[in-house]
Amino acid sequence: MPRNKFQKIVFGVIMSYAMTFGMELYNTAINMGISLQPGGFSHLTWSAVESGMKETVIMGVAVLIISELMGNRMGQRFMKKHTTDSDSPYYQQLMRQAGTVGVMCPIMSMLASVVFFIIGQRLPLTQLPVIWIGTVFKNFPMAFFWNMFAAAPFAHWFFKMIFPQKKRETDAQMGRAELAN
């Protein structure tokens, strides 16, 4: 995937905004009561999408910064703790994603609790612990599955569209070397 610092930054931006968009849309739909309507999230509206996109712009920056400072590193540690070198790269990637979500979801839930409830709704600070726990309970399953099945596959696909890998000549050279032996 990313081969240099610039590509890592680009991939980080894509991944951060893909995660943020899904989570903001999910939370906006819940806050608008869409999930409680018959048919649930199937009744998503363009106003919910627009509202979610507005929040995505700002929260995406927070996700990018926090993931760069802590989330990615802790996800890497989680992966190294729970995999071996003989495990498939795909399994290692999934474990890294799981570790990253395990770190990022509680942190971002705390930030969202402070911004949207304590500051936005002017709830007392004493409510923060229970609001945060409820926010983590609500967001973790969505964050996990959104990361695994939507945001990460999209980010990888989009990154490959921007930075296509050229057919390596080493493949051809390896083939010639095998023929010579």
Side-chain angles (χ1 to χ4, degrees):
M1 284 294 303
R3 294 187 182 149
N4 56 47
K5 187 68 175 173
F6 176 72
Q7 288 184 358
K8 285 180 183 178
I9 291 169
V10 170
F11 183 78
V13 169
I14 296 167
M15 187 65 201
S16 294
Y17 276 92
M19 272 305 293
T20 305
F21 175 70
M23 294 307 297
E24 290 302 328
L25 184 57
Y26 172 71
N27 281 293
T28 299
I30 288 173
N31 293 339
M32 293 175 87
I34 292 170
S35 61
L36 301 175
Q37 296 176 11
F41 288 105
S42 296
H43 290 277
L44 195 62
T45 63
W46 284 111
S47 64
V49 173
E50 181 183 354
S51 180
M53 289 181 81
K54 287 177 184 175
E55 290 176 7
T56 296
V57 173
I58 294 169
M59 292 302 278
V61 173
V63 169
L64 181 62
I65 291 168
I66 294 168
S67 67
E68 286 301 314
L69 293 176
M70 293 172 34
N72 295 336
R73 289 184 182 106
M74 298 198 65
Q76 181 75 13
R77 283 188 202 145
F78 181 87
M79 184 263 307
K80 287 185 179 194
K81 183 176 179 181
H82 296 284
T83 64
T84 64
D85 291 339
S86 62
D87 288 326
S88 75
Y90 181 69
Y91 177 70
Q92 290 177 359
Q93 176 186 333
L94 290 177
M95 293 306 289
R96 181 178 180 160
Q97 287 173 233
T100 303
V101 170
V103 171
M104 291 298 295
C105 184
I107 293 171
M108 291 308 299
S109 292
M110 176 61 81
L111 179 63
S113 296
V114 169
V115 170
F116 296 114
F117 294 100
I118 303 303
I119 296 171
Q121 294 183 14
R122 296 190 173 136
L123 295 177
L125 191 58
T126 56
Q127 289 295 109
L128 182 59
V130 293
I131 292 169
W132 174 65
I133 290 169
T135 305
V136 172
F137 284 170
K138 174 181 69 172
N139 286 335
F140 188 82
M142 176 60 176
F144 182 81
F145 287 107
W146 180 256
N147 183 291
M148 295 293 168
F149 299 109
F154 169 77
H156 284 94
W157 171 81
F158 193 64
F159 181 83
K160 288 176 184 175
M161 295 293 289
I162 298 170
F163 299 103
Q165 292 181 339
K166 296 178 183 173
K167 187 71 177 164
R168 298 179 192 264
E169 287 192 37
T170 55
D171 292 346
Q173 291 171 352
M174 285 176 57
R176 281 184 245 135
E178 287 178 3
L179 290 175
N181 291 332

